[in-house]
Amino acid sequence: MSTDILSGLLIPFMGTTLGSACVFFMKHDLSRGVQRALTGFAAGVMTAASIWSLIIPAMDMSDGMGKLAFIPAAVGFWLGILFLLLLDSLIPHMHMHTDKAEGLPSKLARTTMMVLAVTLHNIPEGMAVGIVYAGVLTGSADMTSGGALALAVGIAIQNFPEGAIISMPLHAEGNSKGKAFAGGFLSGAVEPVGALLTILSARLFLPVMPYLLSFAAGAMIYVVVEELIPEMSEGEHSNIGVIMFSVGFTLMMILDVALG
């Protein structure tokens, strides 16, 4: 495995780590307006990445099926949705600004469940990067190293504010800055681990690559609709979430087209 691929797998994780480190330099928790703006930005990046980096390549790889080229993308997309729905129903977790836990009943601490919520969010992002780099490694059509890098950079950009969004509230909950940073750090560790496992199994995945690409897209869209959009819209009415969604969407679209 080349150094370029290993570096690409670590780029999103570095975004989360750097964002989590903000807890050491910022004296106050992020305001609700800032959190909504950052959440909207992350949602826009993930939506654009799902379309340009995953669903469109999945359909391009199936163009030999003619008018039925949509089938792998549609099937994989729904499998991704159902997979995240299952994890969401099983893993105990708690979103920001709520006192109600989701998933199976547990006696886990509130802060632990907050970290698990972000970890659940990061699973499809790690899968997406790993699958795209697996496509590059196996020489799959329409999968380029530039496109893979664009996806990794785009996710890293939106991971930076996400890291701050998890570490700052953890500190505000009464945790030390070190523990708050560790929570953000660990929530992002699932990304390179999942991506690396996908890369190591790349040859096995080659025959079903279109399904896997759209699977990752479905998983990311589930996170956007179930978690990010509600968070960027809750509370007093504001357009900042929608504006930043559009900024994130545009930035990821530009990255994918320019680098891919």
Side-chain angles (χ1 to χ4, degrees), residues 22 48 95 120 124 154 171:
C22 289
H95 297 296
L120 183 64
H171 180 49

Side-chain angles (χ1 to χ4, degrees), residues 75-167:
V75 171
F77 182 87
W78 267 101
L79 289 175
I81 292 286
L82 295 174
F83 176 69
L84 256 292
L85 178 61
L86 177 64
L87 292 185
D88 200 36
S89 302
L90 295 179
I91 297 177
H93 62 285
M94 182 179 293
H95 297 296
M96 302 292 179
H97 314 298
T98 180
D99 294 323
K100 185 178 180 180
E102 298 181 27
L104 293 176
S106 77
K107 296 182 179 179
L108 293 174
R110 172 184 170 86
T111 53
T112 300
M113 288 195 286
M114 289 171 65
V115 172
L116 285 174
V118 180
T119 302
L120 183 64
H121 175 161
N122 286 335
I123 289 174
E125 296 174 6
M127 291 168 45
V129 174
I131 290 168
V132 171
Y133 270 108
V136 173
L137 192 62
T138 55
S140 299
D142 300 311
M143 307 300 294
T144 66
S145 57
L149 178 62
L151 178 61
V153 170
I155 290 179
I157 291 172
Q158 64 100 17
N159 275 354
F160 180 86
E162 283 184 359
I165 286 175
I166 182 63
S167 65

Side-chain angles (χ1 to χ4, degrees), residues 6-19:
L6 287 174
S7 299
L9 299 185
L10 290 174
I11 287 174
F13 180 48
M14 290 303 298
T16 304
T17 301
L18 292 173

Side-chain angles (χ1 to χ4, degrees), residues 181-195:
F181 169 76
F185 177 88
L186 291 174
S187 72
V190 66
E191 292 190 12
V193 172

Side-chain angles (χ1 to χ4, degrees), residues 176-222:
S176 68
K177 290 186 176 182
K179 287 185 178 180
F181 169 76
F185 177 88
L186 291 174
S187 72
V190 66
E191 292 190 12
V193 172
L196 183 59
L197 291 175
T198 303
I199 289 287
L200 294 176
S201 307
R203 297 293 176 184
L204 298 176
F205 292 152
L206 184 58
V208 292
M209 189 64 71
Y211 292 91
L212 291 175
L213 288 168
S214 51
F215 178 94
M220 289 211 293
I221 291 298
Y222 179 92

